[in-house]
Every structure is written in C-alpha cells, then in structure tokens.
C-alpha cells in the first residue's frame, strides 16, 4: 500500500481539514465550520478537535480486532475526556467533523464514512464512490435556500448562519444526520464495509473541498479523479480545483457555501509499482 496526501486551506483563517496516516491506513477529517456570529460551547474550536480526533483514530485503528465503528466510538470518548472539564459538551454548539477511514488488514480493507466526505474505490476495475448524503436528505431545502444569490454578500452570510443554526439542531439526533462530535453514538450511523484486499486496486479519501471537480463542478468522473491522483498526485487535484473555483469567484455558476473550501485528498495504491 502506497499513500500520498495533500491538504490546503480555503477561504477561512485556518485549515479545518486533517489527514492522518499510520502503518495500517489513513484518516481524513473535515471540520465543520461555524460562522463567527454563532456561539461555540467549546473553547478549543474545530481545528483542535480535528487534530485530537485524527490522532486517536490512527492510534486505535491499528488494532485489527476492533471494527472501525468501535474505533470511532472510542476515539470520540477519548477526546471528550480531554475537554469535558472545560467545555459544555452537551450543547448543540460544539465542534464537529466528517470522517473517512481506510484500514488494510491481511485479506481485507475496511472502510468507514460518516457525513459528507467521500471515499472512492477501484475494485477489480470498477470505480465507485461511497458517500453519506443524510445531511442533504434532512436539510436539503434549507441548504438550497442558503445558496441563493452570489457569494460574499451580507444576505448570503446571514442565510448561511441561519442554516448552520438549523443544522446544529439536526446533528446527532434521531431523524437528523450524524457527524463526529461529542456523541459517541455517531459511530453507529457511519457507513462501514470491507473489500477483499486482492480486489482493491486504488482508493481516495476526500474532504468535500477536494471532491468538487466531480460532484459540484462536474469536470471529472470519479475514475478520472483517481487517474489525476495516481498520475500527478493530490496536490495537482487541489490545484485544478482552485483553478475552477477562481473561474467562478462569486459562486453563480456552481453554487457552494465557500467559494474556496479547505481541500484534502489521500490517494492509496494497492498495486505494487503502479501509479494508476
């Protein structure tokens, strides 16, 4: 297994994505941004959560006897213990992140996807994407309304803040959608599975800022995205994404919440000596 990664900040003050690698696999986290006008019940913030959770996931996933959902559950509990004495972890306004994990064992490769980051796999020549679309299913109308009009206007910013307030009420609750935050039960709602190691040729773990050339801009297929990653590398995928974003600076051609989002990609090749 060969792993290459890249991550780049978007329009925010700090990169809220994270990519973490270990001997058995890789984890990509995409921290959920919070508008500055909304309260936060944690004094540490989203980048801190991403760093701490990513480190725990990589450490725990080395135990092949533990299903990845249990790895995620334990990691959330461990991070909770790190700041339960200083932060109000029972509130809606706490840091959160999407999760994609891939772990190689001797005869199988395990995966986990929680919320709207994407796993792309090439299994015996068949390319498919694994994505959790539950946030769109429960808040799709509010998301579409928030995206109306050009980016960067006070009106759009106000609508996005209203949307985040709605999403916070829906997160990690029955009938809503689930993310990695302070509720360990989120692990029960992740998409998980295993692929025979002999059949898996290549894979990509993508934050939603790195999947845009396919699912937002429609300039590539998932197979073509894997070709870019295997040939030119993750940094080139991000560079092409930035070029597309720059060509639509006000977000009117491709509606999106951030004109330029944090973007993180990890590419894994399971074919010895091959780049694609």
């Amino acid at each position: 297994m060969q792993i290459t990664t890249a991550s780049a900040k978007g329009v925010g003050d700090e990169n809220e994505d994270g990519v973490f690698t270990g001997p058995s696999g890789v984890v990509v986290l995409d921290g959920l941004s919070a508008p500055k006008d909304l309260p936060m019940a944690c004094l540490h913030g989203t980048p801190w959560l991403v760093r701490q959770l990513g480190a725990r996931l990589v450490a725990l996933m080395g135990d092949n006897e533990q299903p990845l959902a249990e790895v995620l559950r334990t990691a959330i509990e461990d991070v909770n213990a790190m700041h339960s004495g200083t932060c109000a972890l029972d509130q809606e306004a706490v840091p959160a992140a999407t999760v994609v994990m891939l772990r190689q064992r001797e005869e199988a490769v395990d995966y986990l996807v929680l919320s709207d980051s994407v796993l792309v796999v090439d299994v015996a020549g068949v390319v498919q994407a694994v994505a959790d679309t539950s946030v769109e299913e429960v808040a799709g109308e509010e998301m579409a309304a928030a995206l109306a009009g050009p980016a960067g206007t006070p009106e759009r910013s106000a609508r996005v803040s209203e949307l985040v307030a709605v999403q916070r009420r829906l997160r990690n609750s029955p009938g809503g959608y689930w993310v990695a935050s302070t509720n360990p039960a989120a692990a029960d709602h992740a998409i998980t599975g295993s692929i025979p190691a002999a059949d898996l040729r290549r894979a990509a773990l993508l934050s939603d800022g790195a999947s845009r050339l396919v699912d937002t801009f429609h300039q590539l297929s998932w197979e073509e995205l894997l070709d870019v990653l295997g040939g030119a590398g993750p940094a080139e995928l991000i560079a092409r994404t930035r070029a597309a974003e720059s060509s639509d600076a006000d977000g009117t051609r491709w509606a999106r919440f951030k004109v330029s989002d944090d973007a993180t990609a990890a590419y894994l090749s399971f074919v010895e000596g091959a780049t694609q």
Side-chain angles (χ1 to χ4, degrees), residues 28-109:
V28 167
L29 303 180
D30 181 355
L32 277 61
S33 298
K36 296 183 185 300
D37 61 326
L38 293 183
M40 178 64 76
C42 170
L43 61 86
H44 298 93
T46 300
W48 179 89
L49 174 80
V50 167
R51 291 191 298 269
Q52 303 305 324
L53 185 62
R56 291 304 298 147
L57 289 170
V58 167
L60 293 166
M61 72 190 294
D63 180 358
N64 289 340
E65 299 301 316
Q66 289 296 315
L68 291 185
E70 290 305 310
V71 168
L72 177 57
R73 182 192 309 278
T74 301
I76 292 172
E77 291 171 345
D78 289 350
V79 175
N80 283 350
M82 298 172 70
H83 65 142
S84 60
T86 58
C87 305
L89 303 188
D90 59 344
Q91 302 297 306
E92 295 174 350
V94 287
T98 72
V99 183
V100 187
M101 304 172 64
L102 202 69
R103 176 179 66 189
Q104 184 176 31
R105 295 184 283 118
E106 287 187 5
E107 297 184 357
V109 177

Side-chain angles (χ1 to χ4, degrees), residues 12 14 16 30-36 38 40 46 96 160 164 167-168 171 258 261-262:
E14 188 173 354
E16 296 180 324
D30 181 355
L32 277 61
S33 298
K36 296 183 185 300
L38 293 183
M40 178 64 76
T46 300
V160 170
V164 172
Q167 289 177 325
R168 283 179 171 178
R171 285 177 194 162
K258 294 181 180 178
D261 198 1
D262 298 338

Side-chain angles (χ1 to χ4, degrees), residues 111-125:
Y111 64 84
L112 179 148
V113 178
L114 180 66
S115 201
D116 61 0
S117 291
V118 181
L119 170 68
V120 186
V121 292
D122 180 345
V123 182

Side-chain angles (χ1 to χ4, degrees), residues 21 27 48 77 136-137 160 162 175 185 202 220 245 250 273 275:
T21 61
V27 175
W48 179 89
E77 291 171 345
E136 298 173 4
E137 294 168 4
V160 170
E162 292 171 2
R202 50 188 179 158
L220 296 176
E245 291 168 341
D250 63 357
T275 57

Side-chain angles (χ1 to χ4, degrees), residues 209-213 217 236-246 263:
S211 64
R212 285 181 163 185
L213 287 177
F217 303 156
E236 175 62 18
L237 175 71
I238 294 174
R240 295 190 189 187
T241 303
R242 295 292 185 247
E245 291 168 341
S246 297

